[in-house]
Amino acid sequence: MTNPQDPPTTNPDGLTAFDHLLRDEYGLPLEYWTSLPTLDDRERDRLVKALEVLILQPIADAADSSDEMRTSEMGSLRQWQLSDEKIAGRDWEQSWQWQLIAAIDNGTRNETSGMMTPSDPRLFLLRIRYGKGLFPALADYLGRVFCGRAGTRQVADTGSALRQVPGFETASPAFIAGLSFLIDKLGRDDFCDFCDDLS
């Protein structure tokens, strides 16, 4: 079991890329979160939002936040809006984000009528856009696969354990590093409880 205070042992390039994203989103380096003894709800949610940004980047447009939004509880410097044009386009079909969304969709559907139909990430996005949202869907999936499988629970390195989750094999180093950091900072048991609460 990883100590929540230990730094993650993930790809240093991934941590650097995640650090850059946090600076772009909040004007704060990763060291800010590293230095916190524990994550309160706000700081946890800011990391969660950064992970969502990594997933949505190929199909969303960023705009600078208004001054009012920057002083809101999240404090984001940018706002992201899904782009119908990018979602309808074919460019993102070869991306790791497409593969991850397909895996989340396939892993969380409860098909009871025989064969499961292949995932269509576009339809999945439409459902979550007007439903519970992206991270709760990801949390539901991680709760079932990452938290629910004994094999991934036994792998000491969080990044290596995440790479065993279907759909995460090709995820960007920044996404694996950021998610690993969140899991290690909360502790795996508390992270899994958080996933259960969201799903």
Side-chain angles (χ1 to χ4, degrees):
M1 177 72 63
T2 306
N3 182 326
Q5 302 309 316
D6 290 343
T9 56
T10 53
N11 180 329
D13 292 338
L15 283 175
T16 300
F18 191 63
D19 173 72
H20 287 281
L21 175 70
L22 292 172
R23 290 172 191 266
D24 289 344
E25 289 302 308
Y26 303 110
L28 296 168
L30 179 61
E31 290 79 25
Y32 167 76
W33 284 270
T34 303
S35 69
L36 298 173
T38 59
L39 293 179
D40 61 21
D41 291 350
R42 177 180 189 257
E43 299 308 334
R44 180 201 61 213
D45 291 347
R46 291 170 97 181
L47 292 173
V48 163
K49 183 180 179 292
L51 292 168
E52 286 182 332
V53 165
L54 286 171
I55 297 172
L56 297 176
Q57 278 178 331
I59 52 172
D61 295 318
D64 290 341
S65 296
S66 66
D67 289 340
E68 182 180 320
M69 287 181 167
R70 288 182 186 190
T71 58
S72 71
E73 74 179 60
M74 199 67 76
S76 301
L77 300 177
R78 301 186 291 188
Q79 296 298 308
W80 292 83
Q81 294 293 325
L82 288 173
S83 163
D84 291 336
E85 182 179 335
K86 290 179 179 179
I87 290 171
R90 296 182 99 41
D91 289 347
W92 72 295
E93 290 181 15
Q94 304 305 314
S95 71
W96 67 266
Q97 291 96 332
W98 175 276
Q99 310 248 346
L100 177 61
I101 290 171
I104 294 168
D105 185 23
N106 285 329
T108 55
R109 277 192 283 167
N110 294 318
E111 298 253 350
T112 55
S113 58
M115 284 183 57
M116 181 182 278
T117 57
S119 171
D120 183 340
R122 290 181 177 91
L123 292 176
F124 178 74
L125 281 175
L126 185 62
R127 288 195 307 271
I128 64 168
R129 187 185 221 175
Y130 300 106
K132 59 185 177 178
L134 180 57
F135 198 83
L138 175 63
D140 183 18
Y141 181 60
L142 287 170
R144 295 175 194 219
V145 182
F146 177 77
C147 299
R149 289 186 182 169
T152 56
R153 298 289 295 239
Q154 292 169 355
V155 177
D157 176 64
T158 306
S160 298
L162 287 171
R163 290 284 185 203
Q164 294 181 15
V165 174
F168 284 71
E169 307 94 339
T170 60
S172 76
F175 181 77
I176 294 295
L179 185 54
S180 296
F181 177 80
L182 176 63
I183 293 168
D184 290 342
K185 191 72 176 176
L186 291 174
R188 285 199 198 182
D189 290 340
D190 286 346
F191 175 77
C192 290
D193 289 345
F194 173 55
C195 288
D196 286 343
D197 290 344
L198 285 178
S199 58

